[in-house]
Amino acid sequence: MTTLTLLQLNDLHGYLEPHPELVRTEGGWRFERLGGVARIARLFEEARAEGPCLTLDNGDTFHGTRVAVASRGEALVPIMNALKIDAMTAHWEFAYGPAGFKALAARLEYPVLAANVFRKDDGAPVFDGRWVFERGGLRIGVIGLACPIVDKTMPPAFSEGVRFEMGVAEAREQLHQLREEKVDLVVLLSHLGFPQDLKLAAETPGVDVILSGHTHNRLHEPARVGDTLIIQSGCHGAYIGRLDLEIADGRVSLRRHRLIAVDAGPQDDQVAGLVETALAPERERLARVIARTAIPLHRYAMASAPMDDVLLAAAAQAAGVDIAFSNGWRYGAASHRARSLWATSTIWRR
C-alpha cells in the first residue's frame, strides 16, 4: 500500500494577504480573518514533509485584485512559483487574452493544463491536456479542464482565436490515454463548477479524484459519484483542501479529507517577502478611505446581499436608470462591520 496527499488551492482571485471571510458556524454567520499565501506556503511545506504530495491549483488565480489586474498577473508569478505548485488550470486568466495568458504561463515553473481549449485556425490544443507526475513510486495522471464559458458568456477578447469545449469528450480521451500509459491514479483538475463536475463524474467513470473549482464551494466532506471522489475548497485562499489517499492493488481509497482554514499560524518568510514586494506599490492606495459603512458588505447570498445593493445602486445612478440587475453571483471578499470600504476593494465579477 502507498499513500499520497493531494493539496488543492482553488479560486484564489489574487488575494495575497489575510482578509475578512464570512463563515457559517453553529452559532450563525460570523466574520473570520483568513487567507494569506505566506501561510498557505507553510501549510504546503508541512504536508510535503509528511510524505508524497501533489499540489494542484484550479485557476482563477492571476486575476481579481488590483495588484493582479494592474500587472496583468505578472506580480503573482514569483509568489505562485514559490508555492511549488505542480500544475494548474484556468478561467479568468484568459482576461489577458489567450496570447497574454500564454506569455504569463511561460513564466511559471509548472504546466497549465487545459484539454478543452483549442486554436480555431488549426484545431491544435492551446495547452497540454494532461501531465504525468511521479510521487512515492506512483505514477499520477492529471487532466486539466479550463472553464468552458470563456468564449460563450465573456468578452470576445478573452477567447480571441481559440474555442472552448465543455470538456466531457476531452476528459474521456485524456483518461483513455492515461490508462494506456499505465498510471496508478487519475486526477481531474477542473474549473467547470461543482454541479458540472458531479455530472462529468457520472459520465466519465474511471476518474479517481476530481479537484473542483469555479463555484467557491466549501466542502467539508468529499462528494462521491460511483468510485470518483470530488472535493472543492472555497475561495480567496481562505481554505485549502487536503486529500489523503491509499493506493493498493490498483484501488484508490480515501484515508482522510480536511478542509483546512488558513488562519493565524506560522508563515513562510520567503513568500511573505515576495507578497510585500508585490503589494508595496499599492500600499498607499490601499490606505486611502473612500467611504465607510455601518453594516457588513458581502455578496455571499445569491438572491440579495448588501454588497450587491451598493454595486447596483451605483450602476443605476451612473447609467441614469431606475433599476439595475446583476447575475446573482459573488465577487470579492467581505468588508467587515465598521471597517472602511477601500478604494481597491476587489469588486471584480467572477
Side-chain angles (χ1 to χ4, degrees):
M1 180 183 70
T2 304
T3 61
L4 174 72
T5 295
L6 298 179
L7 299 172
Q8 180 191 31
L9 175 66
N10 63 271
D11 298 272
L12 180 68
H13 286 289
Y15 278 78
L16 301 180
E17 293 188 300
H19 55 272
E21 284 279 340
L22 195 56
V23 177
R24 189 170 188 171
T25 68
E26 292 182 359
W29 290 94
R30 73 181 185 193
F31 285 98
E32 294 184 3
R33 192 165 182 80
L34 299 174
V37 291
R39 173 68 176 139
I40 290 172
R42 185 63 176 268
L43 290 169
F44 284 171
E45 291 166 7
E46 291 170 355
R48 293 180 187 124
E50 296 176 20
C53 282
L54 198 64
T55 307
L56 299 170
D57 175 11
N58 287 79
D60 270 358
T61 301
F62 293 90
H63 187 284
T65 54
R66 175 174 170 80
V67 67
V69 175
S71 68
R72 296 180 63 82
E74 294 285 345
L76 274 66
V77 168
I79 297 168
M80 299 309 297
N81 283 337
L83 288 184
K84 301 177 182 177
I85 302 292
D86 288 302
M88 72 171 290
T89 192
H91 176 201
W92 268 98
E93 287 76 13
F94 286 97
Y96 307 123
F101 181 30
K102 284 282 287 185
L104 186 71
R107 295 190 54 202
L108 299 177
E109 297 171 359
Y110 50 90
V112 173
L113 304 179
N116 59 329
V117 185
F118 303 92
R119 293 204 305 251
K120 288 181 179 179
D121 55 1
D122 59 5
V126 176
F127 295 101
D128 288 313
R130 67 184 185 276
W131 205 272
V132 177
F133 299 88
E134 294 191 5
R135 295 288 189 280
L138 296 171
R139 285 170 51 80
I140 306 112
V142 178
I143 302 167
L145 291 180
C147 187
I149 69 171
V150 176
D151 63 344
K152 301 169 184 65
T153 67
M154 304 183 80
F158 290 18
S159 57
E160 185 176 1
V162 303
R163 59 179 173 85
F164 291 71
E165 299 297 332
M166 295 306 293
V168 176
E170 291 73 26
R172 289 173 180 166
E173 173 62 23
Q174 297 294 329
L175 173 63
H176 174 75
Q177 293 294 330
L178 286 171
R179 292 306 183 191
E180 289 287 315
E181 295 170 20
K182 306 298 183 185
V183 298
D184 300 290
L185 177 77
V186 174
V187 178
L188 177 60
L189 183 62
S190 167
H191 206 97
L192 271 62
F194 182 61
Q196 292 84 353
D197 286 325
L198 293 174
K199 184 173 184 291
L200 185 145
E203 296 176 349
T204 315
V207 174
D208 297 300
V209 176
I210 297 179
L211 301 184
S212 178
H214 182 57
T215 43
H216 298 189
N217 297 85
R218 299 171 185 168
L219 296 186
H220 293 270
E221 298 291 339
R224 188 184 290 272
V225 177
D227 294 326
T228 304
L229 292 168
I230 307 172
I231 69 168
Q232 194 175 136
S233 306
C235 59
H236 305 144
Y239 297 86
I240 59 171
R242 174 171 174 163
L243 199 60
D244 296 318
L245 304 171
E246 295 179 348
I247 298 93
D249 300 323
R251 293 186 60 84
V252 178
S253 57
L254 174 65
R255 184 177 183 183
R256 182 180 63 169
H257 167 254
R258 293 175 61 196
L259 180 67
I260 302 172
V262 182
D263 51 15
Q267 298 185 348
D268 181 285
D269 291 338
Q270 178 198 2
V271 175
L274 291 172
V275 169
E276 184 55 38
T277 298
L279 290 177
E282 305 297 335
R283 288 299 187 193
E284 182 178 351
R285 187 186 300 269
L286 287 167
R288 181 159 53 93
V289 178
I290 62 170
R292 296 184 183 276
T293 175
I295 63 170
L297 296 180
H298 67 85
R299 192 145 193 246
Y300 279 70
M302 295 243 184
S304 178
M307 179 64 84
D308 211 19
D309 293 340
V310 170
L311 294 170
L312 292 178
Q317 181 176 358
V321 298
D322 296 322
I323 300 174
F325 294 94
S326 72
N327 62 352
W329 209 253
R330 300 174 295 268
Y331 33 70
S335 295
H336 203 309
R337 178 183 294 274
R339 296 295 294 273
S340 300
L341 177 63
W342 303 110
T344 53
S345 290
T346 48
I347 306 170
W348 302 95
R349 283 190 175 87
R350 191 192 63 72

